[in-house]
Amino acid sequence: MRTFDLTPLYRSAIGFDRLVNMLEQRAEAAPSYPPYNVELVSEDKYRIVMALAGFSRSEIEIVAERDTLHVTGRKQKDEVQRHYLHRGIAQRDFEQRFQLANHVKVVSAGFDNGILTIELVREVPEALKPRKIAIADANGNTDNVQVLEQPQQQAA
């Protein structure tokens, strides 16, 4: 297991102690089931893709709560008694949690052929975007404060 010394981070980053705690917790208990990918689609768009073989849409629940995304799968009990010679497809219950950064919202979710796809986007409110701050002269005169130009994203 790898260990990281994050002491230098504490010297210059104020208020990131929650992030460090989250990193330490995730390193200790990183679940491996179900398998999933996290994709960066564009600068502010993300996609989570989970392989859920054997699950139906009704057995999956997605809940976005504040800064956490919960994906839960509860497999219904099979009434047919089966005798497996080899059982390689795991169909057990699961709960997967994803920490979402500030202003990351779930846009949509889809389920097709055993693949769950969750689309996310980061939407920074206008009030939190960078602003140019005017510097007053000796008489106290200033220019108006303006929002810095944001690069326009091209349609995909």
Side-chain angles (χ1 to χ4, degrees), residues 26 29-36 50-55 59-60 71-75 87-98 114:
R26 294 298 289 180
S32 61
Y33 179 79
Y36 64 91
M50 300 180 80
L52 302 177
F55 281 85
E59 296 170 326
I60 302 167
V71 181
T72 308
R74 300 282 178 246
K75 193 70 184 142
R87 187 170 185 177
I89 300 173
Q91 293 183 347
R92 60 184 179 267
D93 294 350
F94 70 89
E95 184 174 337
Q96 185 67 258
R97 294 173 188 243
F98 298 94

Side-chain angles (χ1 to χ4, degrees), residues 44-147:
D44 289 325
K45 293 182 180 181
Y46 306 89
R47 179 179 298 130
I48 299 171
V49 180
M50 300 180 80
L52 302 177
F55 281 85
S56 68
R57 182 176 295 146
S58 63
E59 296 170 326
I60 302 167
E61 182 179 70
I62 303 171
V63 177
E65 181 181 355
R66 293 180 43 183
D67 60 352
T68 306
L69 175 65
H70 301 270
V71 181
T72 308
R74 300 282 178 246
K75 193 70 184 142
Q76 294 178 356
K77 301 301 176 203
D78 193 2
E79 295 178 14
V80 177
Q81 191 71 357
R82 298 180 191 270
H83 178 71
Y84 292 99
L85 297 177
H86 170 73
R87 187 170 185 177
I89 300 173
Q91 293 183 347
R92 60 184 179 267
D93 294 350
F94 70 89
E95 184 174 337
Q96 185 67 258
R97 294 173 188 243
F98 298 94
Q99 281 300 132
L100 302 178
N102 291 338
H103 315 296
V104 173
K105 309 285 186 240
V106 176
V107 176
S108 65
F111 187 71
D112 188 36
N113 293 325
I115 301 293
L116 176 67
T117 304
I118 304 170
E119 303 289 339
L120 303 107
V121 65
R122 180 187 357 247
E123 296 175 345
V124 179
E126 204 59 42
L128 297 178
K129 290 185 179 177
R131 297 180 297 137
K132 182 178 179 183
I133 307 300
I135 301 172
D137 61 15
N139 297 328
N141 297 327
T142 62
D143 293 333
N144 291 335
V145 176
Q146 300 174 342
V147 174

